[in-house]
Amino acid sequence: MSASWVGSVVSIDCGDVLGTYQGYVKDVNGAEQTLSISRAYRNGLTCKLPVITLNACDIKDLKILKSPEEAKRMPQIPDTPEKSHTELLQKENKRRTPTCNRRINNATPPQGRTATSPRGGRIAANVMHMNGGTNSHTGTPSKPKEEAGFRRRTNSESSTSHVNGHRETAQQRRTGSQPRKIQTLKQPGKSDCFSAPMDSFLDDFDFEKNLALFDKQAVFEEIENSCSGNEMNAPPVKYRCDENVLKSGPTVFRQIQLPEGDAPEYVTDSGLVVPCMSYELRSRLFATAEKLGFSLQRQTEMVGRSACEMVMTLLGGGSRLNPQNSHQKPSVVVLCGPHRQGAQAVNCARQLANHNVQVTLFVPNFIKMIKELTEEIQLFELTGGKRASKINELPKKPVDIIINAMDTHDNSNMKVQTWYTSVVEWTNQSKAQVIAIDPPVEGSTIGTKWSLSLAMPLNLSEKCGQIYLCDIGLPKKVFKEVGVKYLSPFGHKFLIPLHKPQS
């Protein structure tokens, strides 16, 4: 019964330790309870031994993949020549033992013994005598050690040799496998590119005729004429991170249109065009705003707030205006006239004093002052700030900034008064920088570095210095009442600088 399964293909599960074996059934020994398979695979890898013998106690599961009849119809793979147990042991010793210590074990194992696998499976292999012995089954004499390929390698031998143009390694000599042939890589396309004869294309090419077509002297003269000497020797131009290499005209953004004709224009930092408004149109704009509910007090508060923010930024901002820097409090002098600009400057002085700035307010004893100026002076006195009405009451020590609000657009007769000329002389002698609030178009007799325009800029002269535009909170419908198409240019700020457009 057991002989009928010889030749079938089986899969044997021997647990996690021994693994899974697959192969052809070669022998079933019922007496010894063993199973032998040939052409064996263990865990998917080919076994080096030709026959594997397994005990029945090690087998966990056995599956018959193909019957002997089906296995015969499969393509036949030639069996691996059986090797003796001694050959396998000597091959393993050569692999594990260093070259200088390799020794051939000449001991002859007992006849009739079968080698047993490390896990309990016995390897059915023929035992062969090494020194003139005979095969235990066939009785034929075995070859001597040197003829059988077991020869001791000397130190003079190389691990790699070349035989008939082939490269043979030591492992290939031991296993008897064929050496790998050394191949020379051939560059593809090299012969196709360079195999053409030179005469095939040189005979038809006239070098002198083609060279005469190129006039080098004329080309060099054209290059020298197109570039002057200064341009050729000029150093390379260095561009900033915000500059374009290619020159192009500035992008024009217009969102404010006046009913007036061509008017001078300013440009903001973002490239927005802000046209200049005439003094008459701006006066009508302020009057319309008052009619619609934006009173003079409300406009004055907005101007004072923006002017205060500008002054504190110029004073140093948080680096000077903080509780830990009380020994370096900034000082500001505010010069006021008896008009609207004066009331706006007093409002700015009050807000500066609230931020711990040492403020000196200069207001002469005018016979007549507007109501808004009187109210702002009363509010300023609540801060405890210093007020001066005479020129000798102004600070003798240097100050940081002077705010000039003595000039107005309507009355220019004050410039000839004694108190005015004295204040101008004191201011010009001071080294402090001057900010003008809503100065007239012609400028002031006091040297000004910054000027603050309200709502819309006027066409101010160069004496007014750098122009800043102040937002006083007028909505676009107020501008529409006077015929101005308006969209706020301030963005996220209440105070923006204006620049003359580049021509």
Side-chain angles (χ1 to χ4, degrees), residues 131-425:
N131 296 325
T134 59
N135 192 296
S136 60
H137 289 274
T138 61
T140 57
S142 61
K143 295 182 180 181
K145 292 184 296 181
E146 295 184 359
E147 294 181 2
F150 296 99
R151 186 171 58 87
R152 187 176 176 181
R153 189 176 66 176
T154 60
N155 294 333
S156 60
E157 292 182 356
S158 174
S159 61
T160 303
S161 61
H162 296 270
V163 181
N164 297 329
H166 294 74
R167 181 183 179 90
E168 184 180 19
T169 62
Q171 182 179 0
Q172 291 170 348
R173 290 198 302 271
R174 292 195 302 269
T175 59
S177 58
Q178 295 295 329
R180 180 173 58 88
K181 186 176 181 180
I182 302 174
Q183 296 182 357
T184 305
L185 296 178
K186 180 181 178 181
Q187 297 181 358
K190 184 175 181 180
S191 60
D192 298 336
C193 297
F194 304 101
S195 61
M198 298 291 291
D199 299 337
S200 61
F201 57 88
L202 291 179
D203 295 341
D204 299 335
F205 186 78
D206 191 351
F207 285 96
E208 296 182 357
K209 182 179 180 180
N210 283 272
L211 186 60
L213 299 177
F214 177 68
D215 191 355
K216 295 189 292 183
Q217 187 66 26
V219 174
F220 290 152
E221 290 179 358
E222 183 180 357
I223 296 174
E224 292 177 356
N225 294 333
S226 60
C227 299
S228 61
N230 295 333
E231 294 179 355
M232 295 181 66
N233 299 328
V237 181
K238 296 182 178 180
Y239 296 94
R240 299 194 310 269
C241 60
D242 58 345
E243 283 187 304
N244 292 329
V245 178
L246 301 179
K247 296 182 179 180
S248 59
T251 305
V252 179
F253 298 99
R254 295 181 183 273
Q255 57 187 25
I256 301 176
Q257 296 181 2
L258 303 180
E260 302 171 346
D262 296 337
E265 296 175 340
Y266 288 101
V267 180
T268 63
D269 289 339
S270 59
L272 183 64
V273 176
V274 180
C276 295
M277 184 179 288
S278 63
Y279 175 71
E280 292 76 12
L281 181 58
R282 201 187 69 166
S283 299
R284 286 197 295 123
L285 177 66
F286 290 163
T288 304
E290 291 183 29
K291 292 179 182 179
L292 296 177
F294 292 91
S295 61
L296 182 59
Q297 291 84 355
R298 188 184 297 268
Q299 298 178 27
T300 302
E301 194 71 24
M302 289 292 295
V303 174
R305 167 66 176 77
S306 299
C308 175
E309 181 180 357
M310 179 179 178
V311 172
M312 287 192 298
T313 302
L314 295 174
L315 289 174
S319 60
R320 292 191 66 183
L321 299 173
N322 63 76
Q324 300 178 356
N325 196 17
S326 59
H327 63 285
Q328 292 183 349
K329 290 184 178 181
S331 60
V332 176
V333 174
V334 182
L335 308 176
C336 302
H339 38 65
R340 185 172 183 169
Q341 286 82 356
Q344 296 167 352
V346 176
N347 185 286
C348 176
R350 172 170 57 86
Q351 300 197 45
L352 287 174
N354 291 336
H355 288 271
N356 300 325
V357 178
Q358 296 179 355
V359 180
T360 301
L361 178 62
F362 177 80
V363 180
N365 295 323
F366 297 109
I367 299 176
K368 183 179 179 180
M369 294 187 296
I370 61 176
K371 177 184 177 181
E372 291 75 17
L373 178 59
T374 304
E375 294 176 352
E376 291 293 338
I377 292 175
Q378 294 175 357
L379 296 176
F380 173 77
E381 291 177 350
L382 298 177
T383 63
K386 182 180 179 181
R387 178 185 173 185
S389 58
K390 297 180 181 179
I391 189 65
N392 55 4
E393 296 178 355
L394 292 174
K396 303 297 188 295
K397 297 180 179 180
V399 296
D400 294 293
I401 289 179
I402 299 174
I403 300 176
N404 178 23
M406 297 189 303
D407 301 312
T408 181
H409 300 276
D410 301 326
N411 187 7
S412 59
N413 296 328
M414 290 189 302
K415 295 182 179 181
V416 297
Q417 297 181 11
T418 305
W419 67 270
Y420 187 92
T421 55
S422 301
V423 172
V424 170
E425 183 179 356

